[in-house]
Amino acid sequence: MTQPPVLRLRGIDKSFGPVQVLHDVALTAHAGEVTALVGDNGAGKSTLVKCIGGIHTADGGEYLFEDRPVQVHSPRDAAALGVEIVYQDLALCDNLDIVQNMFLGRELRRGLVLDEATMEEKAAATLKALSVRTVTSLRQKVASLSGGQRQTVAIAKAVLWNSRLVILDEPTAALGVAQTAQVLELVRRLADNGLAVILISHNMNDVFAVSDQIAALHLGRMAAQVRTCDVTHAQVVELITSGRSGDLGLDPNSKGAAL
């Protein structure tokens, strides 16, 4: 890689009281790539993402964004860098239409009134740039959308704001086969448009379908971050479950490795 990663984490630690959840975690995410973040329940994925997004502040370690050290103490700090997170609950309002949802809390105004025309124009341009064809009207209420369409709106909302890094939390978890394929195509398109994408997923088929790199967490430690083309499904499952696969993964003598 000649370009530095958009995100580089080194030595990230995070504890809640006496419980240390993250131990010396390293992670990189490059522009134009999808990095899949995988791990069992309780491995620390959510805590790590909340540290990236400024919901939690790491106890130690380095957070570099586009090769410069930064301090992220709030979601506002993360958003200012260009970090957007699409959580599993999507945070959409059913009673509002697509445009209203995409600009919720960041509405554009012309004097004292909302600039509806500009917001609709920007929303349409964002969806067009992502080659979204499943939405028929920008004025549809979100309540009337399918699961896949909702996920599309949430992702489009995230990339509307000059994002550099988009983190997607289980974007296909509640979707059928056709909708899953549409969302994965959109995830790939985000990276192809030059964004750095971190995809959190339990679905190995999804991970291998769209990711360029896989970062496997095990008991709060980064077991390995590898090119997707260099590993098999079985190796990734071993990294997730035991922290090690052959010569790959955690030092067997470390506290994080399975006994």
Side-chain angles (χ1 to χ4, degrees), residues 107 125 203-204 214 227 254 258-259:
E107 290 85 358
N203 188 313
M204 287 298 110
I214 299 173
R227 304 296 300 176
S254 76
L259 299 175

Side-chain angles (χ1 to χ4, degrees), residues 26 47 54 80 82 122 125 143 158 185 214 235:
T47 300
K122 286 180 176 288
E185 185 181 329
I214 299 173
Q235 285 176 300

